[in-house]
Amino acid sequence: MKAIILAAGKGKRMKSDLQKVMHPILGKPIVQYVAEAAKEAGFKDITVVVGGEGGEEIKKGLSTCEGLHFAVQQTPLGTGDAVKAGAGQIAPDDDVIVLCGDMPLVTADFIREMMDYKKNNPCEAVVAAVFRGEAMGDFGRVFDRRDEFIEIVEARDITDEHPATNWGNTGIYLFKGASLLSGLEKMKNSNSQNEYYLTDVPKILREEGKTVRVFHTRADMSVFTGINTQSHLAEAVGYMRERINEGHMANGVRMIDPRSAFISSTVKIARGVTIYPGVILEGNCEIAEGATIGMGCHLIDAKVGKSTSVGPFAYLRPGSVIGEKCRVGNFVEVKNATLADGVKMAHLAYIGDADVGKNVNYSCGAITANYDGKNKHRTKIGDNAFIGSNVNLVAPVEIGENALVAAGSTITDDIPPFALGIARERQCIKENRIKK
């Protein structure tokens, strides 16, 4: 089984310097969702067809998506020519599915259903048509007779002579390898665009007397959302957000307002977690059972332990590892730091490049001064230490276990265990100075 993903389109209507299929949806490029759906459906041999211009950008963007091959369509001569560019390794007995690289919501379930249909209804090709009711819009129409394919007609070419139909072309096709290769060789570009259209191949096969079938699906229209504009992209983000959040809630995650939570598909959330409105979870975040993520929090590649509370309005940047039963409060920022169990930093604080021991109290306004203008340095805080309000810990520095740092101190030297560290001017009072 082989899959060909068409990703060579320039996407001019996106009005962006970024390649269309590389626009992100909740942490992943559009085309990566398509490739992952094909993989999940059982396709191990996947070729992504990229354009001669911008192709390297796509290859680089998909470098973490293992097992992909790439083919180049040097000149944009239509979808049929793009498939031809990616058909170099197709064998006659292969089953070949053609997917659109700008349809990130296509599912593995749909692909499997299409494969099962072909298995139960032997044929040379299958055209997937979706029921659209009256909302045909600019979708191409698929015409058939009792599932036997007749033709695909683009919306702009529909005339009064065509019968009414509610079935739209999804742009997804399944071929036997030999028939696909034969049809690709017989395509013609006798059209206003002088391009080779993949939609012609099923018709060529039918005219040769080969069996071509139509797979009618009533899957939700969101599955076939194609992206050509920034508006389409925003629409797809909404659908994907709903799909991801529904999955988490089905696994026991409580979301106060799932419409306002933006969670990447790579995030792992355990049952019993509560997510408040306005939360953004990106990258490889892991949220353990019983944790609470408060309103307006933004977490990137962060780990949160069991029964820990984060936020509201906290920012956990990459490399943040928060232990169990911690309290990371409002307007707190953590970056590349490990907080052991029981740490409390309730509000208005910053910890960067640090290792914080168990049960540390990190008070309001305290910060680690981790950057000297050239290099980053680490701070180490021992178990049960108390860091007072408005403290500056100038790294590299180590605060011993059970040590106490007095409020308002700027600490540049290590503090031993059980010691009190004070680094501030003594208070001076000038009696009646204001009167004078």
Side-chain angles (χ1 to χ4, degrees):
M1 299 193 323
K2 290 184 170 63
I4 296 175
I5 299 175
L6 305 183
K10 291 184 177 179
K12 292 180 180 179
R13 285 193 284 163
M14 297 294 287
K15 293 181 169 54
S16 170
D17 293 334
L18 186 64
Q19 291 291 306
K20 177 174 77 168
V21 298
M22 294 310 297
H23 280 75
I25 293 180
L26 297 176
K28 288 182 187 175
I30 291 168
V31 67
Q32 185 170 338
Y33 285 101
V34 184
E36 289 177 351
K39 283 184 178 182
E40 187 180 341
F43 287 85
K44 294 182 173 60
D45 192 332
I46 301 172
T47 297
V48 180
V49 181
V50 301
E53 181 181 344
E56 290 302 317
E57 178 185 332
I58 297 174
K59 292 179 185 179
K60 183 178 179 181
L62 293 176
S63 61
T64 59
C65 193
E66 297 180 357
L68 299 183
H69 309 291
F70 293 90
V72 180
Q73 183 190 26
Q74 292 292 351
T75 306
L77 295 176
T79 53
D81 182 70
V83 173
K84 196 172 183 179
Q89 303 301 316
I90 291 176
D93 59 347
D94 281 331
D95 279 327
V96 183
I97 194 165
V98 179
L99 300 165
C100 302
D102 62 356
M103 287 173 52
L105 291 147
V106 68
T107 64
D109 285 344
F110 169 78
I111 295 172
R112 282 190 287 258
E113 288 171 6
M114 193 172 177
M115 295 291 293
D116 289 342
Y117 176 84
K118 183 177 181 298
K119 182 179 179 180
N120 296 326
N121 300 273
C123 57
E124 297 301 308
V126 178
V127 175
V130 61
F131 183 79
R132 288 188 59 85
E134 300 300 321
M136 291 300 294
D138 57 359
F139 264 55
R141 274 66 160 175
V142 177
F143 295 95
D144 68 284
R145 186 180 295 109
R146 295 189 182 89
D147 290 357
E148 293 286 341
F149 174 80
I150 297 175
E151 65 177 339
I152 298 169
V153 181
E154 295 301 319
R156 62 178 176 270
D157 298 325
I158 292 291
T159 68
D160 292 338
E161 296 179 1
H162 290 99
T165 181
N166 292 318
W167 294 96
N169 183 28
T170 64
I172 299 174
Y173 309 89
L174 185 57
F175 296 95
K176 276 191 176 179
S179 293
L180 175 59
L181 294 171
S182 172
L184 291 173
E185 292 301 324
K186 295 171 184 175
M187 290 184 303
K188 296 181 180 179
N189 64 342
S190 52
N191 52 66
S192 60
Q193 302 294 320
N194 294 319
E195 293 184 350
Y196 298 92
Y197 296 138
L198 182 61
T199 51
D200 291 341
V201 173
K203 189 174 182 180
I204 291 169
L205 299 178
R206 180 186 65 80
E207 290 173 346
E208 292 180 342
K210 295 178 179 177
T211 302
V212 179
R213 296 188 179 276
V214 175
F215 171 52
H216 296 89
T217 178
R218 289 181 179 266
D220 192 90
M221 272 306 305
S222 65
V223 172
F224 309 104
T225 300
I227 296 176
N228 293 300
T229 66
Q230 295 291 346
S231 179
H232 293 158
L233 180 62
E235 181 182 23
V237 169
Y239 286 134
M240 189 65 75
R241 181 193 68 233
E242 182 178 355
R243 182 184 293 178
I244 290 170
N245 292 354
E246 285 289 343
H248 286 302
M249 288 188 289
N251 291 329
V253 175
R254 181 189 178 207
M255 293 192 182
I256 306 302
D257 180 10
R259 294 169 299 177
S260 69
F262 289 80
I263 301 174
S264 297
S265 62
T266 49
V267 171
K268 298 177 181 178
I269 308 178
R271 58 180 294 180
V273 169
T274 300
I275 305 291
Y276 276 79
V279 166
I280 301 173
L281 305 178
E282 296 186 90
N284 296 310
C285 287
E286 295 183 18
I287 315 299
E289 188 172 350
T292 297
I293 310 299
M295 177 182 287
C297 288
H298 189 175
L299 281 63
I300 307 171
D301 294 331
K303 295 183 179 181
V304 177
K306 290 182 179 181
S307 303
T308 282
S309 174
V310 177
F313 304 107
Y315 184 24
L316 305 189
R317 293 163 58 190
S320 299
V321 180
I322 315 299
E324 298 181 5
K325 298 180 179 179
C326 291
R327 173 76 174 94
V328 178
N330 54 302
F331 305 106
V332 165
E333 181 176 347
V334 181
K335 190 272 294 187
N336 191 30
T338 300
L339 278 59
D341 299 344
V343 171
K344 293 179 176 62
M345 48 187 308
H347 42 214
L348 297 167
Y350 170 72
I351 291 181
D353 299 297
D355 300 292
V356 181
K358 295 179 180 180
N359 303 315
V360 167
N361 188 93
Y362 196 89
S363 300
C364 175
I367 69 162
T368 57
N370 53 312
Y371 183 51
D372 64 7
K374 190 173 183 180
N375 297 305
K376 301 286 180 69
H377 302 280
R378 292 194 75 80
T379 296
K380 185 176 180 180
I381 303 174
D383 294 348
N384 305 306
F386 187 101
I387 310 300
S389 297
N390 201 33
V391 162
N392 301 309
L393 301 177
V394 182
V397 70
E398 182 171 345
I399 310 301
E401 62 181 39
N402 294 286
L404 189 152
V405 180
S409 296
T410 295
I411 302 298
T412 57
D413 298 321
D414 294 350
I415 298 177
F418 294 93
L420 168 63
I422 304 175
R424 63 190 184 203
E425 291 290 334
R426 288 188 177 275
Q427 182 172 318
C428 180
I429 297 175
K430 304 291 185 181
E431 296 285 351
N432 297 316
R433 184 64 177 263
I434 304 305
K435 292 180 179 180
K436 294 179 181 179

